[in-house]
Amino acid sequence: ADKTGYPIDMLELDLDLEADLGIDTVKQAETFAELRERFQIPKEDDLKLKDYPTLKHIVDFVMDKSAMFQGSNKTKETKYIESRPGDGEDVKTVEDNETIGQDDEWIIRRVPVPRPRLETKFFRSTLIDINGSNIVIAKDDTGIWKELAGLLAERNANIMYLEDKLDEKKMEDTVRSWMDQGKEINGVYWLRGLGQEPNLFDMEPKQWDDLVMSRVKSMHRLMKQLYDQAAGKGFFLISGTRTGGLHGYGEAGSLSSIAGGISGFTKAFSKERPNSLCKVVDFEFQADPMSVARNLVEETLKDKDVMEVGYFNDMRWSIELDQQTLASSNQELHLGKETIFLVTGAAGGITSEIVADLAMHSKGIFYLLDKVDEPDPNDPHLQMLEKDRDGLRHILFEEMKTKKERPTPKMIEQKIFGLEREMAALKAIKSVQDSGGKAYFKSVDLLDYSSVASAVKEIKEKSGKVEVIIHAAGVEISRALSEKSSREFDLVLDVKTKGLFNLLKLTRDMGIEAVAVFSSVAGRFGNVGQTDYSAANDLMCKTLSALRRSRPSVSSVAIDWTAWAGIGMASRGSLPRLLEQAGIDLLPPMVGIPQVRKELEAGGSKEVVIARGLGEMLARRDLLGGLDPDLTADYFRKEAGPFLAASEIIGAKCTDEGLEIEFVLDPAMQPFLKDHQVEDGVPYLPGVVGMECLAELSVLLLGGKAARVRNLNFSRPLKFHRKESKRLLIKAKPVFEKGEPVVRAELFSIHKPKKLQVPEKQQLHFTAEFLQQKEEAEKGQKVPKLSGRSKIVGRDQIYKTYFHGPSFQVLEEVKLQKSKAVGSLAREIPPEVNGGGGTRPLLYPRLVELCFQTAGLWEMQEKQLLCLPQRVESASVLDVPPQDEALYALVEARDGDECFDARIVDDSGKVYVDIHGYHTIAIEPTS
């Protein structure tokens, strides 16, 4: 049961260990070793595993060989006892206030990353109909709107243009005039994010305000007017941005800060209007206007599952979350008593706790900024707040009456809220002082450039510099977009974004080493009632991304917090229960508070989501990831490489991790299986064919470009027992690594015993990483003429030793020397694949096999070992090999004969296939 993963009462004694239960020969050997030890069975050197193929055989083996069962009746019912964890043991539980949060185990740290995504042609229709629709284009200043209008006109769309620089009233009048004409608006292309944005440090406050108004705030004004029309199906909002094609998540950073406001708003709008299609489409700065327009139309018509999509390096990308542990960078930051912190929003409950943690560990110097006045510790109201909140309410009520005011509960609670902020500020000051640090509190209006300038000037005079900025200030007013006034929207947006602009602008020459901003999952995913809050948070994230371009030496972290437990708005009333029902875990303060310090100390530039369960926020909009299975299967039948094209594709889908396809291979149909029967007539999938299948899928995620492979591992042989067909699964996970796409691919067999009512099991066989091909064909050495001492092995002798059938008898002869071997490609080889659509292979598996077999014969000659492939460090196809010319495998042992380098060359020395680090594993000695 331990070896199979199935409960004992579901195992039948006549089940085949490998064919039915998936226990390979290695695990079988381990099982027999454990049985010998447990039941005191002497070791037998001539024991053969194939003589014990079923559970019954193993039971009989134990009964026959163990002295513990001598004299017992074998036919007697054998009783199995299943041990259950916890039987007879005390189970310790952890209460909410115990050790939870004292380590990092509670947190799931997710990092937004760009991930290659298939072209739109593979995806299902969004069901958006452009023909005859009334569509609004908010013009950009680059002229892309003209190209887009032309494409839409070809589809008979009725286009209405929204000019830039319209004030709020003129915009309202323009939209109202459309509606008065009886026009139902079917969609909006918001193109203002496609314009170029100046460097943040080159902008003046007025220029920043104008750009934010034009690109973000005016978006609120328009979509508020169209709110009702966007309720039904068929409406779309497609927003174009130009951060560089990867939404600022590439290594270079974002070309735009303000684009984050557009992105955040769009994501939140989609939550309020879930029937509409909402996307943010990002582009490189140099992108051709017509290609941008075409891609905008394509994104309108295909792939409803993705919301953030980009075009970079001639490839299509999405933004996904990758779980990552915190690791130090080459910009590690030491926080000590000389460290000078500038903290905004210092009167916030969470912020004061985070300041306390930073102060305790650094004993540094803290400049605490907030809009509230510096609190008086002797204020009787503050003292009463700590002791008797209800009593304080009565005191405030009487005081207001004394002043001839008419107190209301709302007015009382506003005063209580103000006192709570003063109390938090007081706590922050005291925590710094108690730790041995220094604290300076200053009342600052972050929206007033001169107010911030005055505070920065004072800091400069006292300390000369600021090393760490923590921007925690913010305002949150949850309200549906239809009810959200312009004043509210602008306030929520500006406190975070204009406040950050003012801080960075005014401290640009003060030696900043790190910047942290407090964002939210609302900025990452969008949220109902938070179009302004989402826009503000995503804009801050893009601002820090843009900071990488202008200040690469400055570390930065944008933290997308989930809702906090016990502190803040989310801890009040029924909201915790509602969040729990939605699958969203509240963040324990003792877990989240130290995370700011840890992220700062690790250094580097990143955006991180700090949460655990995120429930519906992570839900996909389509079970198949938007993929059209019929279109995908048709592609593989006609256009994929020959091996997947010759298989039967039975499933395909996009997932959070990437792309998956399920297919069937039949040994009765394919020569590469018929001719690769290693033992007892059981076909094995050749490792080189497994490598090719992985490549044929992975290349789709590399923009259709030829692939090179690295870190190829032959983890486990893939056998076709009873010569039956087998279901296989390839998972291809694309990632962005050091400026280029990498696809991590895995090949599994799908296993389900016929006699058991149990879930399917996936067994891993091959893994590899694929990158775009970069090398070009090269001229290498001529085919070496080995000395007279070399040994020549001919074809007949080779395939008396090797098990390969005709289609994999690739060697004509091999010349062997002390550290080298030259294998000649056979002159006539039958096709290795039946069908395949006539396409060329990507990695030419039979040429790779030529290298493997040549190396294998060298090992037989020099080591007297029969070896099988284990792994390959890297392999590339540099040019299309000719079909009618002589080709040779040049193989050389390296690293103390532990592995090989190999090349496929022609008579002129031109290299077609280049393999580095081919490692083998011995299976038995040769005689």
Side-chain angles (χ1 to χ4, degrees), residues 536-697:
N537 283 301
D538 208 356
L539 197 155
M540 288 198 305
C541 292
K542 297 298 187 291
T543 299
L544 292 200
S545 177
L547 195 64
R548 296 208 297 269
R549 289 179 175 269
S550 55
R551 296 289 190 277
S553 63
V554 176
S555 293
S556 63
V557 56
I559 302 181
D560 299 330
W561 298 111
T562 189
W564 291 80
I567 303 179
M569 179 196 69
S571 65
R572 299 169 185 164
S574 62
L575 191 54
R577 180 174 55 83
L578 294 175
L579 291 170
E580 182 180 351
Q581 290 174 350
I584 298 172
D585 294 326
L586 297 180
L587 179 62
M590 65 183 71
V591 175
I593 287 167
Q595 195 67 26
V596 178
R597 169 174 47 83
K598 294 175 183 178
E599 296 286 351
L600 285 170
E601 289 175 334
S605 297
K606 63 251 180 175
E607 176 184 342
V608 293
V609 179
I610 300 299
R612 192 172 177 83
L614 286 169
E616 296 175 359
M617 288 187 172
L618 295 179
R620 310 230 37 123
R621 290 191 281 179
D622 186 285
L623 291 177
L624 296 178
L627 208 63
D628 187 314
D630 294 332
L631 290 176
T632 306
D634 190 58
Y635 167 84
F636 282 110
R637 281 192 295 269
K638 297 177 180 178
E639 301 181 52
F643 292 88
L644 287 182
S647 68
E648 179 189 356
I649 305 296
I650 58 175
K653 64 179 179 179
C654 283
T655 69
D656 292 341
E657 295 291 300
L659 179 62
E660 294 182 6
I661 65 161
E662 187 178 335
F663 60 104
V664 174
L665 286 179
D666 187 350
M669 295 290 295
Q670 294 304 336
F672 62 82
L673 293 174
K674 293 179 184 178
D675 294 342
H676 202 259
Q677 299 184 28
V678 179
E679 62 179 23
D680 298 330
V682 177
Y684 281 51
L685 182 69
V688 293
V689 174
M691 171 190 69
E692 174 69 17
C693 289
L694 293 176
E696 289 177 7
L697 178 64

Side-chain angles (χ1 to χ4, degrees), residues 124-136 151-159 184-189 232-238 275-277 296-302 304:
R124 287 195 285 230
S125 169
T126 60
L127 303 181
I128 295 294
D129 187 5
I130 290 177
N131 291 296
S133 295
N134 296 320
I135 297 174
V136 175
L151 295 176
L152 297 177
E154 292 175 5
R155 297 173 179 265
N156 300 313
N158 179 32
I159 305 168
E184 180 182 355
I185 307 302
N186 305 112
V188 173
Y189 286 102
K233 293 182 179 179
F235 186 90
F236 67 87
L237 169 61
I238 305 295
N275 289 327
S276 61
L277 172 74
L296 289 169
V297 173
E298 279 298 306
E299 294 295 343
T300 310
L301 301 175
K302 290 288 189 77
K304 65 180 180 180

Side-chain angles (χ1 to χ4, degrees), residues 644-770:
L644 287 182
S647 68
E648 179 189 356
I649 305 296
I650 58 175
K653 64 179 179 179
C654 283
T655 69
D656 292 341
E657 295 291 300
L659 179 62
E660 294 182 6
I661 65 161
E662 187 178 335
F663 60 104
V664 174
L665 286 179
D666 187 350
M669 295 290 295
Q670 294 304 336
F672 62 82
L673 293 174
K674 293 179 184 178
D675 294 342
H676 202 259
Q677 299 184 28
V678 179
E679 62 179 23
D680 298 330
V682 177
Y684 281 51
L685 182 69
V688 293
V689 174
M691 171 190 69
E692 174 69 17
C693 289
L694 293 176
E696 289 177 7
L697 178 64
S698 297
V699 74
L700 291 180
L701 295 167
L702 295 173
K705 300 178 181 179
R708 53 193 165 107
V709 63
R710 71 183 186 192
N711 299 328
L712 171 64
N713 285 284
F714 303 95
S715 304
R716 182 193 304 259
L718 202 168
K719 305 177 186 180
F720 291 75
H721 295 283
R722 308 184 187 101
K723 299 185 179 180
E724 296 175 346
S725 61
K726 188 177 284 287
R727 289 165 57 205
L728 305 179
L729 174 69
I730 296 179
K731 298 180 181 180
K733 177 181 178 179
V735 296
F736 195 61
E737 185 179 288
K738 296 181 179 178
E740 64 177 325
V742 177
V743 177
R744 296 169 183 162
E746 301 170 309
L747 190 150
F748 300 82
S749 61
I750 300 176
H751 181 78
K752 182 175 182 179
K754 296 178 181 179
K755 296 185 179 182
L756 296 180
Q757 298 301 314
V758 295
E760 295 177 340
K761 293 178 67 176
Q762 297 176 5
Q763 196 165 61
L764 178 65
H765 296 280
F766 306 113
T767 62
E769 295 179 335
F770 294 90

Side-chain angles (χ1 to χ4, degrees), residues 135-140 145 148 162-164 171 187-195 211-223 226 236-241 258-259 261-263 265-266 279-281 283 296:
I135 297 174
V136 175
I137 295 180
K139 290 183 178 180
D140 63 303
W145 66 270
L148 178 61
L162 194 65
E163 303 291 340
D164 199 1
M171 178 181 288
V188 173
Y189 286 102
W190 189 264
L191 305 185
R192 293 185 182 170
L194 295 173
L211 283 172
V212 172
M213 172 57 77
S214 169
R215 299 184 180 184
V216 183
K217 294 179 180 178
S218 58
M219 194 177 188
H220 158 256
R221 282 43 162 183
L222 173 64
M223 300 314 296
L226 300 180
F236 67 87
L237 169 61
I238 305 295
S239 302
T241 58
I258 297 171
I262 297 172
S263 174
F265 181 94
T266 304
K279 283 188 183 181
V280 189
V281 191
F283 298 95
L296 289 169

Side-chain angles (χ1 to χ4, degrees), residues 373-389 392 396 415-427:
D373 293 330
E374 182 171 359
D376 179 3
N378 298 315
D379 185 341
H381 286 157
L382 292 178
Q383 295 173 352
M384 187 70 176
L385 180 64
E386 277 195 301
K387 297 175 182 178
D388 185 0
R389 180 183 294 262
L392 176 60
L396 293 173
K415 288 185 175 292
I416 293 285
F417 177 72
L419 289 169
E420 286 177 335
R421 292 188 59 80
E422 289 187 38
M423 180 66 73
L426 196 61
K427 181 176 181 179

Side-chain angles (χ1 to χ4, degrees), residues 152-203:
L152 297 177
E154 292 175 5
R155 297 173 179 265
N156 300 313
N158 179 32
I159 305 168
M160 291 150 282
Y161 298 103
L162 194 65
E163 303 291 340
D164 199 1
K165 311 299 183 188
L166 292 180
D167 62 30
E168 188 166 348
K169 185 177 185 310
K170 288 182 179 178
M171 178 181 288
E172 289 178 356
D173 291 344
T174 299
V175 176
R176 191 176 296 109
S177 70
W178 297 336
M179 295 180 176
D180 289 344
Q181 297 172 33
K183 294 178 179 178
E184 180 182 355
I185 307 302
N186 305 112
V188 173
Y189 286 102
W190 189 264
L191 305 185
R192 293 185 182 170
L194 295 173
Q196 188 173 6
E197 182 180 307
N199 182 287
L200 180 144
F201 295 103
D202 294 334
M203 279 191 274

Side-chain angles (χ1 to χ4, degrees), residues 31 91 110 144 153 172 252 254 291 318 387 437 473 493 555 575 578 610-611 618 623 734 788 792 855 877 906 914:
T31 300
V91 180
R110 301 172 175 94
I144 290 174
E172 289 178 356
S254 178
S291 69
S318 64
K387 297 175 182 178
L493 183 71
S555 293
L575 191 54
L578 294 175
I610 300 299
L618 295 179
L623 291 177
I792 299 177
V877 175
D906 61 17
D914 193 7

